[in-house]
Amino acid sequence: GAVVSQHPSWVICKSGTSVKIECRSLDFQATTMFWYRQFPKQSLMLMATSNEGSKATYEQGVEKDKFLINHASLTLSTLTVTSAHPEDSSFYICSAPTGTSSYEQYFGPGTRLTVT
Amino acid sequence: AQSVTQLGSHVSVSEGALVLLRCNYSSSVPPYLFWYVQYPNQGLQLLLKYTTGATLVKGINGFEAEFKKSETSFHLTKPSAHMSDAAEYFCAVSLGGGYNKLIFGAGTRLAVHP
């Protein structure tokens, strides 16, 4: 099946700094990718839809200037958490639909962000 | 608007017992329905999906689910639980087509005891 990777798998940063998380589709092209946030023992909340070559679409309540999304190529989307604060600590997961079975999404392994 | 309700945030079964995880959905159009499993500190893995056609769908690891339109349900079952089934399970719905966003239920944590 299709593979989606994320890097890094975990990161610790100081409050006020920025962190970039990468999401890659390894064996297929993805014009769309999705970014989710998951708090401990909770469900996944969709943050934004990343669109290759155009601006991301953010869900209501998600700060565009804080969570910068760039989808520069058909295999890479990045999420940058700017001026991170402890409340941004969370598990961030990306997903991508494949072209062959467009109703299936493949999920990355997630990135654990801890802001100290 | 679409929504998903998973009844029971925690389910505990004995090894070898039937597993039943409940999911009800709300959708204004025929939904696409999914069950995903998540192991600790990992991403989500697709167990099974319903799009159209046969309402009883079989997935990986012996799981299956039945789409019941009249009950707006998509419950997940497995005849005999294994210790390795212990994980978090999420039901999700989409309007159709992978380019539409998934709406997830709150999740059900399955515990399997000897």
Side-chain angles (χ1 to χ4, degrees), chain A residues 32 34 36 38 43-44 46 59 91 93 97 102-105 107-109 112, chain B residues 32 34 36 38 41-44 46 49 51 90 97-98 100-101 104-105:
Chain A
T32 300
F34 299 93
Y36 296 85
Q38 186 180 30
S43 188
L44 282 74
L46 180 66
E59 295 299 303
F91 195 52
I93 303 175
S102 61
Y103 45 79
E104 284 193 40
Q105 291 189 32
F107 285 79
R112 171 81 54 197
Chain B
Y32 285 12
F34 306 82
Y36 287 89
Q38 184 181 35
N41 296 311
Q42 295 186 27
L44 275 67
L46 180 67
K49 62 183 183 289
T51 53
F90 293 97
N100 284 311
K101 60 186 179 183
F104 285 90

PDB file of all heavy atoms in Angstrom, chain A residues 32 34 36 38 43-44 46 59 91 93 97 102-105 107-109 112, chain B residues 32 34 36 38 41-44 46 49 51 90 97-98 100-101 104-105:
ATOM      1  N   THR A  32      -3.242  16.819  -2.689  1.00  0.00           N
ATOM      2  CA  THR A  32      -3.873  17.258  -1.447  1.00  0.00           C
ATOM      3  C   THR A  32      -3.330  16.435  -0.284  1.00  0.00           C
ATOM      4  O   THR A  32      -3.137  15.223  -0.410  1.00  0.00           O
ATOM      5  CB  THR A  32      -5.400  17.060  -1.521  1.00  0.00           C
ATOM      6  OG1 THR A  32      -5.928  17.829  -2.594  1.00  0.00           O
ATOM      7  CG2 THR A  32      -6.061  17.502  -0.217  1.00  0.00           C
ATOM      8  N   PHE A  34      -3.689  16.350   4.222  1.00  0.00           N
ATOM      9  CA  PHE A  34      -4.429  16.857   5.356  1.00  0.00           C
ATOM     10  C   PHE A  34      -3.553  16.842   6.608  1.00  0.00           C
ATOM     11  O   PHE A  34      -2.757  15.928   6.806  1.00  0.00           O
ATOM     12  CB  PHE A  34      -5.674  15.991   5.617  1.00  0.00           C
ATOM     13  CG  PHE A  34      -6.643  15.960   4.466  1.00  0.00           C
ATOM     14  CD1 PHE A  34      -6.568  14.967   3.504  1.00  0.00           C
ATOM     15  CD2 PHE A  34      -7.632  16.925   4.344  1.00  0.00           C
ATOM     16  CE1 PHE A  34      -7.459  14.936   2.433  1.00  0.00           C
ATOM     17  CE2 PHE A  34      -8.519  16.901   3.288  1.00  0.00           C
ATOM     18  CZ  PHE A  34      -8.431  15.908   2.333  1.00  0.00           C
ATOM     19  N   TYR A  36      -3.671  16.948  10.795  1.00  0.00           N
ATOM     20  CA  TYR A  36      -4.509  16.754  11.963  1.00  0.00           C
ATOM     21  C   TYR A  36      -3.698  17.015  13.223  1.00  0.00           C
ATOM     22  O   TYR A  36      -2.475  16.863  13.251  1.00  0.00           O
ATOM     23  CB  TYR A  36      -5.040  15.315  12.029  1.00  0.00           C
ATOM     24  CG  TYR A  36      -5.950  14.918  10.893  1.00  0.00           C
ATOM     25  CD1 TYR A  36      -5.427  14.457   9.691  1.00  0.00           C
ATOM     26  CD2 TYR A  36      -7.335  14.973  11.042  1.00  0.00           C
ATOM     27  CE1 TYR A  36      -6.268  14.074   8.654  1.00  0.00           C
ATOM     28  CE2 TYR A  36      -8.175  14.589  10.008  1.00  0.00           C
ATOM     29  CZ  TYR A  36      -7.627  14.143   8.818  1.00  0.00           C
ATOM     30  OH  TYR A  36      -8.453  13.760   7.795  1.00  0.00           O
ATOM     31  N   GLN A  38      -3.801  15.904  17.374  1.00  0.00           N
ATOM     32  CA  GLN A  38      -4.402  14.967  18.314  1.00  0.00           C
ATOM     33  C   GLN A  38      -3.841  15.208  19.700  1.00  0.00           C
ATOM     34  O   GLN A  38      -2.645  15.043  19.935  1.00  0.00           O
ATOM     35  CB  GLN A  38      -4.142  13.521  17.884  1.00  0.00           C
ATOM     36  CG  GLN A  38      -4.852  12.491  18.740  1.00  0.00           C
ATOM     37  CD  GLN A  38      -4.576  11.074  18.303  1.00  0.00           C
ATOM     38  OE1 GLN A  38      -3.510  10.780  17.764  1.00  0.00           O
ATOM     39  NE2 GLN A  38      -5.541  10.181  18.516  1.00  0.00           N
ATOM     40  N   SER A  43      -9.486  12.455  20.000  1.00  0.00           N
ATOM     41  CA  SER A  43      -9.598  12.130  18.589  1.00  0.00           C
ATOM     42  C   SER A  43      -8.747  13.072  17.744  1.00  0.00           C
ATOM     43  O   SER A  43      -8.128  14.003  18.255  1.00  0.00           O
ATOM     44  CB  SER A  43     -11.061  12.213  18.162  1.00  0.00           C
ATOM     45  OG  SER A  43     -11.211  11.734  16.843  1.00  0.00           O
ATOM     46  N   LEU A  44      -8.751  12.814  16.469  1.00  0.00           N
ATOM     47  CA  LEU A  44      -8.027  13.670  15.535  1.00  0.00           C
ATOM     48  C   LEU A  44      -8.911  14.836  15.119  1.00  0.00           C
ATOM     49  O   LEU A  44     -10.077  14.651  14.768  1.00  0.00           O
ATOM     50  CB  LEU A  44      -7.636  12.897  14.273  1.00  0.00           C
ATOM     51  CG  LEU A  44      -6.436  11.976  14.358  1.00  0.00           C
ATOM     52  CD1 LEU A  44      -6.769  10.724  15.122  1.00  0.00           C
ATOM     53  CD2 LEU A  44      -5.945  11.622  12.960  1.00  0.00           C
ATOM     54  N   LEU A  46      -9.103  17.868  12.384  1.00  0.00           N
ATOM     55  CA  LEU A  46      -8.543  18.386  11.151  1.00  0.00           C
ATOM     56  C   LEU A  46      -8.163  19.853  11.328  1.00  0.00           C
ATOM     57  O   LEU A  46      -8.989  20.662  11.769  1.00  0.00           O
ATOM     58  CB  LEU A  46      -9.539  18.239  10.008  1.00  0.00           C
ATOM     59  CG  LEU A  46      -9.073  18.738   8.643  1.00  0.00           C
ATOM     60  CD1 LEU A  46      -7.916  17.886   8.136  1.00  0.00           C
ATOM     61  CD2 LEU A  46     -10.211  18.735   7.645  1.00  0.00           C
ATOM     62  N   GLU A  59      -9.260  25.020   8.833  1.00  0.00           N
ATOM     63  CA  GLU A  59     -10.537  24.805   9.517  1.00  0.00           C
ATOM     64  C   GLU A  59     -10.804  25.979  10.457  1.00  0.00           C
ATOM     65  O   GLU A  59      -9.892  26.711  10.878  1.00  0.00           O
ATOM     66  CB  GLU A  59     -10.508  23.501  10.289  1.00  0.00           C
ATOM     67  CG  GLU A  59     -10.397  22.275   9.403  1.00  0.00           C
ATOM     68  CD  GLU A  59     -11.557  22.134   8.449  1.00  0.00           C
ATOM     69  OE1 GLU A  59     -12.715  22.076   8.917  1.00  0.00           O
ATOM     70  OE2 GLU A  59     -11.308  22.069   7.221  1.00  0.00           O
ATOM     71  N   PHE A  91       0.297  15.872  19.238  1.00  0.00           N
ATOM     72  CA  PHE A  91       0.692  14.883  18.238  1.00  0.00           C
ATOM     73  C   PHE A  91       0.103  15.362  16.912  1.00  0.00           C
ATOM     74  O   PHE A  91      -1.105  15.567  16.802  1.00  0.00           O
ATOM     75  CB  PHE A  91       0.122  13.520  18.635  1.00  0.00           C
ATOM     76  CG  PHE A  91       0.722  12.341  17.927  1.00  0.00           C
ATOM     77  CD1 PHE A  91       2.098  12.160  17.882  1.00  0.00           C
ATOM     78  CD2 PHE A  91      -0.080  11.384  17.337  1.00  0.00           C
ATOM     79  CE1 PHE A  91       2.657  11.061  17.248  1.00  0.00           C
ATOM     80  CE2 PHE A  91       0.471  10.281  16.704  1.00  0.00           C
ATOM     81  CZ  PHE A  91       1.840  10.112  16.656  1.00  0.00           C
ATOM     82  N   ILE A  93      -0.455  14.744  12.888  1.00  0.00           N
ATOM     83  CA  ILE A  93      -0.516  13.646  11.924  1.00  0.00           C
ATOM     84  C   ILE A  93      -0.949  14.198  10.569  1.00  0.00           C
ATOM     85  O   ILE A  93      -1.868  15.025  10.494  1.00  0.00           O
ATOM     86  CB  ILE A  93      -1.521  12.566  12.370  1.00  0.00           C
ATOM     87  CG1 ILE A  93      -1.165  12.026  13.758  1.00  0.00           C
ATOM     88  CG2 ILE A  93      -1.566  11.420  11.367  1.00  0.00           C
ATOM     89  CD1 ILE A  93      -2.198  11.046  14.300  1.00  0.00           C
ATOM     90  N   PRO A  97      -4.611  11.323   0.288  1.00  0.00           N
ATOM     91  CA  PRO A  97      -5.360  10.373  -0.520  1.00  0.00           C
ATOM     92  C   PRO A  97      -4.514   9.942  -1.706  1.00  0.00           C
ATOM     93  O   PRO A  97      -3.714  10.716  -2.235  1.00  0.00           O
ATOM     94  CB  PRO A  97      -6.575  11.183  -0.973  1.00  0.00           C
ATOM     95  CG  PRO A  97      -6.096  12.583  -0.993  1.00  0.00           C
ATOM     96  CD  PRO A  97      -5.020  12.704   0.042  1.00  0.00           C
ATOM     97  N   SER A 102      -9.336   7.073  -4.627  1.00  0.00           N
ATOM     98  CA  SER A 102      -9.321   8.405  -4.046  1.00  0.00           C
ATOM     99  C   SER A 102     -10.103   8.514  -2.764  1.00  0.00           C
ATOM    100  O   SER A 102     -10.012   9.495  -2.062  1.00  0.00           O
ATOM    101  CB  SER A 102      -9.861   9.414  -5.059  1.00  0.00           C
ATOM    102  OG  SER A 102     -11.205   9.083  -5.397  1.00  0.00           O
ATOM    103  N   TYR A 103     -10.886   7.489  -2.426  1.00  0.00           N
ATOM    104  CA  TYR A 103     -11.607   7.588  -1.171  1.00  0.00           C
ATOM    105  C   TYR A 103     -10.805   7.035  -0.007  1.00  0.00           C
ATOM    106  O   TYR A 103     -11.277   6.980   1.096  1.00  0.00           O
ATOM    107  CB  TYR A 103     -12.955   6.861  -1.277  1.00  0.00           C
ATOM    108  CG  TYR A 103     -12.883   5.493  -1.933  1.00  0.00           C
ATOM    109  CD1 TYR A 103     -12.457   4.383  -1.242  1.00  0.00           C
ATOM    110  CD2 TYR A 103     -13.240   5.342  -3.267  1.00  0.00           C
ATOM    111  CE1 TYR A 103     -12.378   3.141  -1.846  1.00  0.00           C
ATOM    112  CE2 TYR A 103     -13.173   4.107  -3.887  1.00  0.00           C
ATOM    113  CZ  TYR A 103     -12.735   3.000  -3.167  1.00  0.00           C
ATOM    114  OH  TYR A 103     -12.670   1.784  -3.765  1.00  0.00           O
ATOM    115  N   GLU A 104      -9.593   6.590  -0.272  1.00  0.00           N
ATOM    116  CA  GLU A 104      -8.736   6.124   0.814  1.00  0.00           C
ATOM    117  C   GLU A 104      -7.682   7.159   1.140  1.00  0.00           C
ATOM    118  O   GLU A 104      -7.122   7.781   0.249  1.00  0.00           O
ATOM    119  CB  GLU A 104      -8.041   4.826   0.423  1.00  0.00           C
ATOM    120  CG  GLU A 104      -8.945   3.612   0.470  1.00  0.00           C
ATOM    121  CD  GLU A 104      -8.159   2.323   0.393  1.00  0.00           C
ATOM    122  OE1 GLU A 104      -7.091   2.258   1.021  1.00  0.00           O
ATOM    123  OE2 GLU A 104      -8.613   1.407  -0.299  1.00  0.00           O
ATOM    124  N   GLN A 105      -7.449   7.360   2.405  1.00  0.00           N
ATOM    125  CA  GLN A 105      -6.365   8.222   2.841  1.00  0.00           C
ATOM    126  C   GLN A 105      -5.346   7.393   3.594  1.00  0.00           C
ATOM    127  O   GLN A 105      -5.708   6.506   4.356  1.00  0.00           O
ATOM    128  CB  GLN A 105      -6.898   9.335   3.750  1.00  0.00           C
ATOM    129  CG  GLN A 105      -7.745  10.358   3.032  1.00  0.00           C
ATOM    130  CD  GLN A 105      -8.058  11.545   3.903  1.00  0.00           C
ATOM    131  OE1 GLN A 105      -7.262  11.920   4.750  1.00  0.00           O
ATOM    132  NE2 GLN A 105      -9.213  12.138   3.702  1.00  0.00           N
ATOM    133  N   PHE A 107      -2.172   7.551   6.259  1.00  0.00           N
ATOM    134  CA  PHE A 107      -1.717   8.419   7.333  1.00  0.00           C
ATOM    135  C   PHE A 107      -0.229   8.247   7.610  1.00  0.00           C
ATOM    136  O   PHE A 107       0.307   7.138   7.542  1.00  0.00           O
ATOM    137  CB  PHE A 107      -2.504   8.124   8.613  1.00  0.00           C
ATOM    138  CG  PHE A 107      -3.902   8.662   8.585  1.00  0.00           C
ATOM    139  CD1 PHE A 107      -4.901   7.988   7.908  1.00  0.00           C
ATOM    140  CD2 PHE A 107      -4.219   9.850   9.221  1.00  0.00           C
ATOM    141  CE1 PHE A 107      -6.195   8.492   7.853  1.00  0.00           C
ATOM    142  CE2 PHE A 107      -5.510  10.360   9.169  1.00  0.00           C
ATOM    143  CZ  PHE A 107      -6.490   9.677   8.487  1.00  0.00           C
ATOM    144  N   GLY A 108       0.393   9.344   7.930  1.00  0.00           N
ATOM    145  CA  GLY A 108       1.766   9.296   8.391  1.00  0.00           C
ATOM    146  C   GLY A 108       1.813   8.784   9.822  1.00  0.00           C
ATOM    147  O   GLY A 108       0.788   8.678  10.490  1.00  0.00           O
ATOM    148  N   PRO A 109       3.004   8.486  10.299  1.00  0.00           N
ATOM    149  CA  PRO A 109       3.164   7.927  11.652  1.00  0.00           C
ATOM    150  C   PRO A 109       3.014   8.951  12.761  1.00  0.00           C
ATOM    151  O   PRO A 109       2.972   8.582  13.932  1.00  0.00           O
ATOM    152  CB  PRO A 109       4.580   7.343  11.640  1.00  0.00           C
ATOM    153  CG  PRO A 109       5.287   8.182  10.637  1.00  0.00           C
ATOM    154  CD  PRO A 109       4.280   8.509   9.579  1.00  0.00           C
ATOM    155  N   ARG A 112       5.402  13.927  17.371  1.00  0.00           N
ATOM    156  CA  ARG A 112       5.133  14.377  18.738  1.00  0.00           C
ATOM    157  C   ARG A 112       5.912  15.652  18.991  1.00  0.00           C
ATOM    158  O   ARG A 112       7.122  15.643  18.938  1.00  0.00           O
ATOM    159  CB  ARG A 112       5.541  13.291  19.726  1.00  0.00           C
ATOM    160  CG  ARG A 112       5.520  13.700  21.196  1.00  0.00           C
ATOM    161  CD  ARG A 112       4.136  13.631  21.765  1.00  0.00           C
ATOM    162  NE  ARG A 112       3.488  12.339  21.589  1.00  0.00           N
ATOM    163  CZ  ARG A 112       2.183  12.149  21.714  1.00  0.00           C
ATOM    164  NH1 ARG A 112       1.401  13.175  22.005  1.00  0.00           N
ATOM    165  NH2 ARG A 112       1.669  10.956  21.543  1.00  0.00           N
TER     166      ARG A 112
ATOM    167  N   TYR B  32     -19.394   7.787   2.968  1.00  0.00           N
ATOM    168  CA  TYR B  32     -18.334   6.800   2.943  1.00  0.00           C
ATOM    169  C   TYR B  32     -17.911   6.627   4.400  1.00  0.00           C
ATOM    170  O   TYR B  32     -17.721   7.619   5.106  1.00  0.00           O
ATOM    171  CB  TYR B  32     -17.140   7.274   2.110  1.00  0.00           C
ATOM    172  CG  TYR B  32     -17.349   7.231   0.614  1.00  0.00           C
ATOM    173  CD1 TYR B  32     -18.596   7.030   0.044  1.00  0.00           C
ATOM    174  CD2 TYR B  32     -16.268   7.404  -0.252  1.00  0.00           C
ATOM    175  CE1 TYR B  32     -18.776   6.998  -1.330  1.00  0.00           C
ATOM    176  CE2 TYR B  32     -16.430   7.374  -1.635  1.00  0.00           C
ATOM    177  CZ  TYR B  32     -17.690   7.168  -2.165  1.00  0.00           C
ATOM    178  OH  TYR B  32     -17.855   7.134  -3.522  1.00  0.00           O
ATOM    179  N   PHE B  34     -15.467   4.614   7.449  1.00  0.00           N
ATOM    180  CA  PHE B  34     -14.156   4.004   7.653  1.00  0.00           C
ATOM    181  C   PHE B  34     -13.977   3.635   9.123  1.00  0.00           C
ATOM    182  O   PHE B  34     -14.522   4.286  10.021  1.00  0.00           O
ATOM    183  CB  PHE B  34     -13.039   4.990   7.275  1.00  0.00           C
ATOM    184  CG  PHE B  34     -13.152   5.566   5.895  1.00  0.00           C
ATOM    185  CD1 PHE B  34     -13.989   6.641   5.632  1.00  0.00           C
ATOM    186  CD2 PHE B  34     -12.400   5.044   4.854  1.00  0.00           C
ATOM    187  CE1 PHE B  34     -14.097   7.176   4.355  1.00  0.00           C
ATOM    188  CE2 PHE B  34     -12.495   5.583   3.576  1.00  0.00           C
ATOM    189  CZ  PHE B  34     -13.345   6.641   3.326  1.00  0.00           C
ATOM    190  N   TYR B  36     -10.539   3.017  11.526  1.00  0.00           N
ATOM    191  CA  TYR B  36      -9.089   3.047  11.622  1.00  0.00           C
ATOM    192  C   TYR B  36      -8.667   2.555  12.996  1.00  0.00           C
ATOM    193  O   TYR B  36      -9.387   2.710  13.985  1.00  0.00           O
ATOM    194  CB  TYR B  36      -8.568   4.480  11.446  1.00  0.00           C
ATOM    195  CG  TYR B  36      -8.627   5.015  10.040  1.00  0.00           C
ATOM    196  CD1 TYR B  36      -9.749   5.682   9.561  1.00  0.00           C
ATOM    197  CD2 TYR B  36      -7.545   4.856   9.179  1.00  0.00           C
ATOM    198  CE1 TYR B  36      -9.803   6.172   8.269  1.00  0.00           C
ATOM    199  CE2 TYR B  36      -7.585   5.353   7.887  1.00  0.00           C
ATOM    200  CZ  TYR B  36      -8.714   5.998   7.440  1.00  0.00           C
ATOM    201  OH  TYR B  36      -8.760   6.481   6.154  1.00  0.00           O
ATOM    202  N   GLN B  38      -5.385   2.742  15.809  1.00  0.00           N
ATOM    203  CA  GLN B  38      -4.166   3.475  16.169  1.00  0.00           C
ATOM    204  C   GLN B  38      -3.509   2.809  17.367  1.00  0.00           C
ATOM    205  O   GLN B  38      -4.123   2.671  18.426  1.00  0.00           O
ATOM    206  CB  GLN B  38      -4.485   4.935  16.488  1.00  0.00           C
ATOM    207  CG  GLN B  38      -3.248   5.775  16.786  1.00  0.00           C
ATOM    208  CD  GLN B  38      -3.587   7.214  17.136  1.00  0.00           C
ATOM    209  OE1 GLN B  38      -4.601   7.496  17.760  1.00  0.00           O
ATOM    210  NE2 GLN B  38      -2.722   8.147  16.729  1.00  0.00           N
ATOM    211  N   ASN B  41       1.390   6.052  20.026  1.00  0.00           N
ATOM    212  CA  ASN B  41       2.413   6.878  19.379  1.00  0.00           C
ATOM    213  C   ASN B  41       2.627   6.536  17.907  1.00  0.00           C
ATOM    214  O   ASN B  41       3.742   6.666  17.387  1.00  0.00           O
ATOM    215  CB  ASN B  41       3.741   6.775  20.138  1.00  0.00           C
ATOM    216  CG  ASN B  41       3.624   7.332  21.528  1.00  0.00           C
ATOM    217  OD1 ASN B  41       3.111   8.434  21.717  1.00  0.00           O
ATOM    218  ND2 ASN B  41       4.055   6.575  22.515  1.00  0.00           N
ATOM    219  N   GLN B  42       1.587   6.093  17.279  1.00  0.00           N
ATOM    220  CA  GLN B  42       1.663   5.781  15.853  1.00  0.00           C
ATOM    221  C   GLN B  42       0.531   6.472  15.109  1.00  0.00           C
ATOM    222  O   GLN B  42      -0.413   6.993  15.707  1.00  0.00           O
ATOM    223  CB  GLN B  42       1.589   4.273  15.624  1.00  0.00           C
ATOM    224  CG  GLN B  42       2.769   3.499  16.180  1.00  0.00           C
ATOM    225  CD  GLN B  42       2.714   2.027  15.796  1.00  0.00           C
ATOM    226  OE1 GLN B  42       2.140   1.651  14.782  1.00  0.00           O
ATOM    227  NE2 GLN B  42       3.330   1.204  16.628  1.00  0.00           N
ATOM    228  N   GLY B  43       0.632   6.463  13.785  1.00  0.00           N
ATOM    229  CA  GLY B  43      -0.430   7.002  12.954  1.00  0.00           C
ATOM    230  C   GLY B  43      -1.596   6.041  12.881  1.00  0.00           C
ATOM    231  O   GLY B  43      -1.678   5.075  13.642  1.00  0.00           O
ATOM    232  N   LEU B  44      -2.494   6.295  11.948  1.00  0.00           N
ATOM    233  CA  LEU B  44      -3.677   5.476  11.820  1.00  0.00           C
ATOM    234  C   LEU B  44      -3.537   4.467  10.681  1.00  0.00           C
ATOM    235  O   LEU B  44      -2.969   4.776   9.636  1.00  0.00           O
ATOM    236  CB  LEU B  44      -4.900   6.358  11.524  1.00  0.00           C
ATOM    237  CG  LEU B  44      -5.599   6.960  12.739  1.00  0.00           C
ATOM    238  CD1 LEU B  44      -4.720   7.978  13.432  1.00  0.00           C
ATOM    239  CD2 LEU B  44      -6.914   7.599  12.321  1.00  0.00           C
ATOM    240  N   LEU B  46      -5.801   1.869   8.256  1.00  0.00           N
ATOM    241  CA  LEU B  46      -7.157   1.571   7.813  1.00  0.00           C
ATOM    242  C   LEU B  46      -7.490   0.102   8.071  1.00  0.00           C
ATOM    243  O   LEU B  46      -6.768  -0.788   7.643  1.00  0.00           O
ATOM    244  CB  LEU B  46      -7.306   1.881   6.324  1.00  0.00           C
ATOM    245  CG  LEU B  46      -8.677   1.607   5.710  1.00  0.00           C
ATOM    246  CD1 LEU B  46      -9.714   2.569   6.284  1.00  0.00           C
ATOM    247  CD2 LEU B  46      -8.621   1.728   4.184  1.00  0.00           C
ATOM    248  N   LYS B  49     -13.400  -0.236   5.019  1.00  0.00           N
ATOM    249  CA  LYS B  49     -14.144   0.911   4.549  1.00  0.00           C
ATOM    250  C   LYS B  49     -15.410   0.453   3.845  1.00  0.00           C
ATOM    251  O   LYS B  49     -15.476  -0.660   3.298  1.00  0.00           O
ATOM    252  CB  LYS B  49     -13.311   1.745   3.584  1.00  0.00           C
ATOM    253  CG  LYS B  49     -12.911   0.993   2.314  1.00  0.00           C
ATOM    254  CD  LYS B  49     -12.035   1.815   1.433  1.00  0.00           C
ATOM    255  CE  LYS B  49     -11.717   1.072   0.132  1.00  0.00           C
ATOM    256  NZ  LYS B  49     -10.812  -0.064   0.365  1.00  0.00           N
ATOM    257  N   THR B  51     -17.980   2.052   0.898  1.00  0.00           N
ATOM    258  CA  THR B  51     -18.262   3.151  -0.027  1.00  0.00           C
ATOM    259  C   THR B  51     -19.611   2.900  -0.690  1.00  0.00           C
ATOM    260  O   THR B  51     -20.566   3.641  -0.484  1.00  0.00           O
ATOM    261  CB  THR B  51     -17.155   3.285  -1.079  1.00  0.00           C
ATOM    262  OG1 THR B  51     -16.951   2.018  -1.727  1.00  0.00           O
ATOM    263  CG2 THR B  51     -15.847   3.697  -0.418  1.00  0.00           C
ATOM    264  N   PHE B  90     -10.970   4.249  15.704  1.00  0.00           N
ATOM    265  CA  PHE B  90     -11.695   5.442  15.291  1.00  0.00           C
ATOM    266  C   PHE B  90     -12.605   5.126  14.109  1.00  0.00           C
ATOM    267  O   PHE B  90     -12.172   4.540  13.120  1.00  0.00           O
ATOM    268  CB  PHE B  90     -10.730   6.555  14.876  1.00  0.00           C
ATOM    269  CG  PHE B  90      -9.908   7.107  15.999  1.00  0.00           C
ATOM    270  CD1 PHE B  90      -8.618   6.650  16.215  1.00  0.00           C
ATOM    271  CD2 PHE B  90     -10.421   8.091  16.835  1.00  0.00           C
ATOM    272  CE1 PHE B  90      -7.853   7.158  17.258  1.00  0.00           C
ATOM    273  CE2 PHE B  90      -9.666   8.606  17.877  1.00  0.00           C
ATOM    274  CZ  PHE B  90      -8.370   8.127  18.081  1.00  0.00           C
ATOM    275  N   GLY B  97     -15.116  10.308  -1.846  1.00  0.00           N
ATOM    276  CA  GLY B  97     -13.920  10.762  -2.520  1.00  0.00           C
ATOM    277  C   GLY B  97     -12.867  11.123  -1.506  1.00  0.00           C
ATOM    278  O   GLY B  97     -13.132  11.792  -0.532  1.00  0.00           O
ATOM    279  N   GLY B  98     -11.671  10.644  -1.737  1.00  0.00           N
ATOM    280  CA  GLY B  98     -10.613  10.866  -0.741  1.00  0.00           C
ATOM    281  C   GLY B  98     -10.224  12.312  -0.586  1.00  0.00           C
ATOM    282  O   GLY B  98      -9.528  12.672   0.334  1.00  0.00           O
ATOM    283  N   ASN B 100     -12.162  14.673   0.039  1.00  0.00           N
ATOM    284  CA  ASN B 100     -12.988  15.299   1.055  1.00  0.00           C
ATOM    285  C   ASN B 100     -12.473  14.925   2.426  1.00  0.00           C
ATOM    286  O   ASN B 100     -11.988  13.833   2.640  1.00  0.00           O
ATOM    287  CB  ASN B 100     -14.446  14.866   0.908  1.00  0.00           C
ATOM    288  CG  ASN B 100     -15.118  15.557  -0.246  1.00  0.00           C
ATOM    289  OD1 ASN B 100     -15.048  16.762  -0.387  1.00  0.00           O
ATOM    290  ND2 ASN B 100     -15.770  14.785  -1.083  1.00  0.00           N
ATOM    291  N   LYS B 101     -12.626  15.817   3.360  1.00  0.00           N
ATOM    292  CA  LYS B 101     -12.054  15.597   4.676  1.00  0.00           C
ATOM    293  C   LYS B 101     -12.803  14.524   5.436  1.00  0.00           C
ATOM    294  O   LYS B 101     -13.976  14.274   5.219  1.00  0.00           O
ATOM    295  CB  LYS B 101     -12.066  16.905   5.464  1.00  0.00           C
ATOM    296  CG  LYS B 101     -13.455  17.500   5.672  1.00  0.00           C
ATOM    297  CD  LYS B 101     -13.341  18.863   6.337  1.00  0.00           C
ATOM    298  CE  LYS B 101     -14.703  19.482   6.533  1.00  0.00           C
ATOM    299  NZ  LYS B 101     -14.609  20.836   7.119  1.00  0.00           N
ATOM    300  N   PHE B 104     -13.881  12.433  12.274  1.00  0.00           N
ATOM    301  CA  PHE B 104     -13.623  11.302  13.151  1.00  0.00           C
ATOM    302  C   PHE B 104     -14.533  11.302  14.368  1.00  0.00           C
ATOM    303  O   PHE B 104     -14.913  12.354  14.890  1.00  0.00           O
ATOM    304  CB  PHE B 104     -12.165  11.337  13.640  1.00  0.00           C
ATOM    305  CG  PHE B 104     -11.171  10.910  12.603  1.00  0.00           C
ATOM    306  CD1 PHE B 104     -10.605  11.826  11.735  1.00  0.00           C
ATOM    307  CD2 PHE B 104     -10.804   9.577  12.492  1.00  0.00           C
ATOM    308  CE1 PHE B 104      -9.690  11.433  10.782  1.00  0.00           C
ATOM    309  CE2 PHE B 104      -9.891   9.172  11.537  1.00  0.00           C
ATOM    310  CZ  PHE B 104      -9.341  10.101  10.680  1.00  0.00           C
ATOM    311  N   GLY B 105     -14.840  10.100  14.835  1.00  0.00           N
ATOM    312  CA  GLY B 105     -15.463   9.957  16.133  1.00  0.00           C
ATOM    313  C   GLY B 105     -14.433  10.153  17.224  1.00  0.00           C
ATOM    314  O   GLY B 105     -13.234  10.303  16.952  1.00  0.00           O
TER     315      GLY B 105
END
